[in-house]
């Protein structure tokens, strides 16, 4: 006879945190969001990999590439580069992140001198960048010819077909730096010469990168960037259970900091085979997470198999239709609560702490805080990060509003059959994800700063200054459907719905 759980499973939206006593020291500036990522043993001060904020980006084509990895590492988190791509291209992404020099930005908006103002405007519309590099071939590493900024043209006064060469600021009139300049030296040049942008060129005059005045201020305001021992950005990468014997060595050689088995379901022999391979080939030197699971049995299986962290959640993602397609899954809050209890019991029995990552089910910012209070060590988000400038999806206009493309790994567009493979045909038999849009939200840095500010404030309301303290002190209550309605604006006519301001 089938086993039946006694209680229904719940989502984050069905819970609220109940405020606790807050001492005078409980102010947001005193809150630390540092968290552990990989397993550690009793007596060790910390795990091998930690983060300064409890946010990681999902292993998805529409979310995590090298641009996202750099942007998220600047804010203290880790991006897991999507694995549904050729091995060499994923390894190259890792290399680009590890070789990226903090403060030095590769040009993403480039034109040739013979292109037109219309091309510049179209590029600005697509990328949102007002600074455009002019190179001989229109690439980010072409021979640098000059610069176009919003100061160089007025669309109302120039023919759209005017060549870029006629209104750009040529190299001869620009101050630039040579490759090898340090960030401090570059910033000194910017401040001494009252510049907004400093091009960095190699010995052959090719564009290497830009240094922007605004990035100096941002770095000073938020020095939470996540760096390894060599001062390179920390980056993760997703792998599958098919080509792992070839993919893992390539990623390790490229310098990846932590791996994650990307699979729709982790309680399988396939995942144990991957973990066995890593331990046999690399011992404890290579850090690798596994999942996803939704109960104590799944956690215990992967913990004993040697996973460095375990992802929790099946079917809760915004673009995931696994529950609809297969009838498999569990409410995310209930899954996190049960797996966190199993994690604590395993730690008590063995002295080994295996962090858990809540993956999916995050709709509002406060859901992250709820997940942490319920026992998660960090959260993986897809839709949240897909909205930002730094995600791979295109920014498009839909019904008068800017949107970003967002598609699931189980969608026909991604065709990531490896993620859903159960030893059958090497193809995507049916979809477990959708192709969609999410509202465009601007830059990652601005949005993450707001999210983390909300988290710190909520933690203070609970009398907690660390994530561990939040888990110890948090008091949570289930809410009724009526109290959920009460929690939002109600019984008023909102001005923005009537055209008033």
């Amino acid at each position: 006879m089938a086993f039946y759980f006694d209680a229904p499973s719940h989502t984050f939206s069905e819970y609220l945190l109940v405020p606790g006593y807050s001492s005078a020291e409980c102010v947001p500036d005193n809150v630390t969001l540092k968290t552990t990522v990989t397993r550690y043993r009793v007596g060790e001060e910390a795990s091998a990999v930690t983060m300064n904020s409890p946010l990681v980006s999902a292993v998805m084509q529409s979310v995590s590439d090298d641009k996202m990895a750099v942007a998220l590492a600047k804010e203290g988190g880790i991006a897991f580069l999507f694995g549904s791509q050729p091995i060499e291209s994923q390894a190259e992404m890792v290399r680009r992140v590890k070789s990226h020099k903090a403060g030095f930005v590769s040009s993403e908006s480039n034109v040739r001198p013979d292109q037109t103002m219309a091309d510049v405007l179209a590029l600005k519309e697509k990328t949102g960048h007002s600074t455009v590099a002019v190179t001989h071939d229109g690439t980010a590493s072409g021979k640098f010819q000059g610069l176009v900024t919003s100061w160089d043209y007025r669309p109302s006064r120039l023919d759209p077909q005017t060549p870029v060469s006629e209104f750009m600021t040529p190299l001869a009139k620009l101050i630039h730096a040579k490759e090898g300049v340090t960030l401090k030296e570059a910033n000194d040049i910017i401040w001494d010469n009252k510049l907004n942008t400093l091009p960095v060129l190699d010995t052959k005059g090719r564009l290497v990168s830009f240094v922007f005045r605004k990035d100096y201020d941002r770095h000073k305001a938020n020095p939470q960037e996540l760096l390894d021992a060599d001062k390179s950005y920390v980056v993760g990468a997703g792998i599958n259970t098919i080509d792992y014997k070839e993919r893992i060595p390539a990623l390790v050689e490229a310098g990846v900091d932590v791996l994650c088995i990307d699979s729709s379901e982790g309680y399988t022999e396939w995942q144990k085979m991957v973990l066995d391979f890593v331990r046999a080939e690399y011992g404890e030197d290579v850090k690798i997470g596994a999942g996803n699971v939704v109960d104590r049995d799944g956690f215990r299986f992967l913990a004993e198999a040697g996973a460095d962290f375990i992802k929790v959640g099946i079917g809760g993602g915004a673009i995931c239709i696994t529950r609809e397609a297969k009838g498999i899954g569990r409410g995310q809050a209930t899954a996190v609560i049960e797996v966190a209890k199993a994690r604590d019991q395993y730690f008590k029995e063995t002295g080994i702490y295996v962090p858990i990552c809540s993956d999916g089910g995050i709709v509002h910012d406060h859901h992250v805080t709820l997940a942490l209070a319920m026992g998660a060590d960090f959260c993986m988000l897809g839709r949240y990060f897909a909205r930002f400038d730094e995600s791979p999806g295109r920014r498009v206009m839909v019904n008068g509003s800017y949107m970003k493309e967002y598609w699931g790994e189980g969608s026909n567009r991604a065709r990531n059959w490896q993620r859903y493979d159960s030893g059958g045909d090497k193809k995507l038999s049916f979809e477990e994800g959708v192709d969609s849009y999410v509202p465009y939200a601007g830059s990652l840095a601005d949005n993450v700063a707001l999210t983390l500010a909300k988290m710190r404030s909520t933690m203070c309301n609970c009398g907690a200054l660390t994530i561990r303290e939040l888990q110890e002190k948090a008091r949570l209550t289930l809410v009724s459907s009526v109290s959920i309605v009460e929690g939002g604006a109600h019984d008023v006519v909102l001005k923005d719905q009537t055209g008033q301001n």
Side-chain angles (χ1 to χ4, degrees), residues 192-234:
D192 291 345
N193 294 278
K194 299 181 179 180
L195 305 175
N196 288 320
T197 307
L198 178 70
V200 179
L201 311 181
D202 66 13
T203 56
K204 296 183 179 180
R206 293 175 300 202
L207 181 62
V208 175
S209 59
F210 284 124
V211 179
F212 295 99
R213 174 192 289 261
K214 64 180 181 180
D215 287 342
Y216 174 86
D217 297 329
R218 176 164 287 168
H219 172 68
K220 292 299 180 183
N222 184 21
Q224 295 298 312
E225 58 187 4
L226 192 60
L227 304 173
D228 64 17
D230 297 320
K231 304 300 181 184
S232 296
Y233 287 126
V234 174

Side-chain angles (χ1 to χ4, degrees), residues 52 70 73-74 95-104 183 219 223-235 255 257:
N52 295 327
V70 169
K74 288 180 179 179
R95 284 190 285 268
R96 287 199 294 268
V97 176
K98 301 307 288 186
S99 63
H100 187 96
K101 296 173 66 179
F104 292 84
L183 185 57
H219 172 68
Q224 295 298 312
E225 58 187 4
L226 192 60
L227 304 173
D228 64 17
D230 297 320
K231 304 300 181 184
S232 296
Y233 287 126
V234 174
V235 61
D257 295 281

Side-chain angles (χ1 to χ4, degrees), residues 439-454:
Y440 168 67
S443 74
L444 179 147
D446 293 339
N447 285 276
V448 167
L450 178 59
T451 297
L452 298 183
K454 292 178 182 178

Side-chain angles (χ1 to χ4, degrees), residues 3-14:
F3 175 81
Y4 292 86
F5 287 89
D6 293 332
S9 61
H10 298 283
T11 68
F12 293 132
S13 291
E14 296 176 79

Side-chain angles (χ1 to χ4, degrees), residues 51-111:
M51 292 190 295
N52 295 327
S53 69
L55 305 178
V56 301
S57 64
V59 189
M60 299 174 67
Q61 294 175 10
S62 57
V63 178
S64 298
D65 62 1
D66 50 304
K67 181 180 177 183
M68 175 62 69
V70 169
L72 187 50
K74 288 180 179 179
E75 305 305 320
I78 297 175
F80 283 88
L81 304 174
F82 70 93
S84 50
Q85 60 176 313
I87 294 173
E88 183 50 41
S89 65
Q90 189 185 24
E92 181 57 32
M93 280 189 181
V94 172
R95 284 190 285 268
R96 287 199 294 268
V97 176
K98 301 307 288 186
S99 63
H100 187 96
K101 296 173 66 179
F104 292 84
V105 181
S106 298
S107 178
E108 297 173 353
S109 296
N110 312 282
V111 294

Side-chain angles (χ1 to χ4, degrees), residues 76 102 115 160 182 214 218 246 249 262 270 322 325 372 395 441 458 479:
Q115 288 185 265
T182 67
K214 64 180 181 180
R218 176 164 287 168
E246 295 77 37
D262 180 37
W270 308 109
T322 293
L372 298 175
R395 188 179 70 165
T458 303
V479 294

